[in-house]
Amino acid sequence: LVPQKAFDLALEAYRGVLTDIEFAVAGAPSYDMSLAERLERLAKDDPRVHLLGYLHGEDLRQVLAHCYAVVHPSRTEGLSFSVLEAMAHGKLVVMSDIPENLEVIDHAGVSFPTDDRDALRNVLAWLAQDPTLVKERGERARDIVKRLYSWDMIVKKTERLYQSLLKHRY
């Protein structure tokens, strides 16, 4: 849990959504304990919010298997393994509109303007009312990961690159 991941923004946005869908934050505090304390304060006032701490292995797989959707409000990122993992589990990802997120979304998730709490609140409220859309986009997300980011595809792309380099040897 670091400031650039914007989990505080996500919790603030979620608090304004009228839904029974619970909101869980997975991650352990890093160098900024003030952020962890802020998240605890935000979670304390809302029984729907759960701070799960650091998850890995089977615990993480179970959370991803059973969650409604995944929120990734990051302010800065590379190609996020968290996003790819959520998509591989067939989950719609709500993500900030930074270029690295938009590159992978391909109509499988929903973006919102980075750091725009109101826009995120509106997206969360909309998706809470449309489980069919959430499921359809999650299925599309799984297909995208399988098609573009599976190990088989990565091996094929790498092999093609090596073959093309061999053809152009000097």
Side-chain angles (χ1 to χ4, degrees):
L1 302 176
V2 292
Q4 62 266 29
K5 298 295 185 180
F7 289 113
D8 53 338
L9 176 95
L11 282 178
E12 290 170 350
Y14 171 77
R15 289 175 61 163
V17 177
L18 299 175
T19 183
D20 292 334
I21 298 170
E22 297 184 15
F23 194 98
V25 177
S30 185
Y31 60 87
D32 189 349
M33 291 309 294
S34 65
L35 176 62
E37 292 163 359
R38 177 169 164 64
L39 293 175
E40 286 176 12
R41 283 192 305 275
L42 288 167
K44 180 181 77 161
D45 296 335
D46 192 333
R48 303 171 303 164
V49 175
H50 308 280
L51 302 179
L52 304 178
Y54 177 73
L55 296 178
H56 66 280
E58 187 59 25
D59 291 336
L60 179 58
R61 282 189 288 280
Q62 287 299 317
V63 168
L64 286 171
H66 297 288
C67 70
Y68 185 75
V70 171
V71 179
H72 188 73
S74 188
R75 295 177 175 106
T76 181
E77 193 80 45
L79 177 60
S80 170
F81 290 124
S82 298
V83 168
L84 290 177
E85 192 166 18
M87 291 173 66
H89 277 83
K91 300 303 173 182
L92 174 144
V93 180
V94 177
M95 58 180 73
S96 57
D97 66 352
I98 60 175
E100 297 81 0
N101 285 344
L102 296 178
E103 180 179 328
V104 72
I105 195 171
D106 191 23
H107 305 294
V110 176
S111 68
F112 67 94
T114 303
D115 276 329
D116 188 332
R117 182 179 299 106
D118 293 333
L120 177 54
R121 181 179 299 118
N122 291 338
V123 167
L124 295 175
W126 164 49
L127 295 175
Q129 300 301 315
D130 198 342
T132 301
L133 175 79
V134 170
K135 184 175 180 193
E136 288 170 356
R137 294 223 180 160
E139 290 168 0
R140 189 177 305 154
R142 181 184 291 121
D143 292 341
I144 289 169
V145 170
K146 187 181 287 184
R147 183 170 33 90
L148 300 177
Y149 298 99
S150 70
W151 282 115
D152 288 342
M153 185 51 66
I154 291 169
V155 168
K156 287 177 186 174
K157 286 180 180 179
T158 303
E159 185 177 27
R160 280 195 301 264
L161 172 64
Y162 288 163
Q163 292 297 331
S164 73
L165 292 173
L166 285 172
K167 290 178 186 176
H168 294 70
R169 284 189 355 194
Y170 293 95

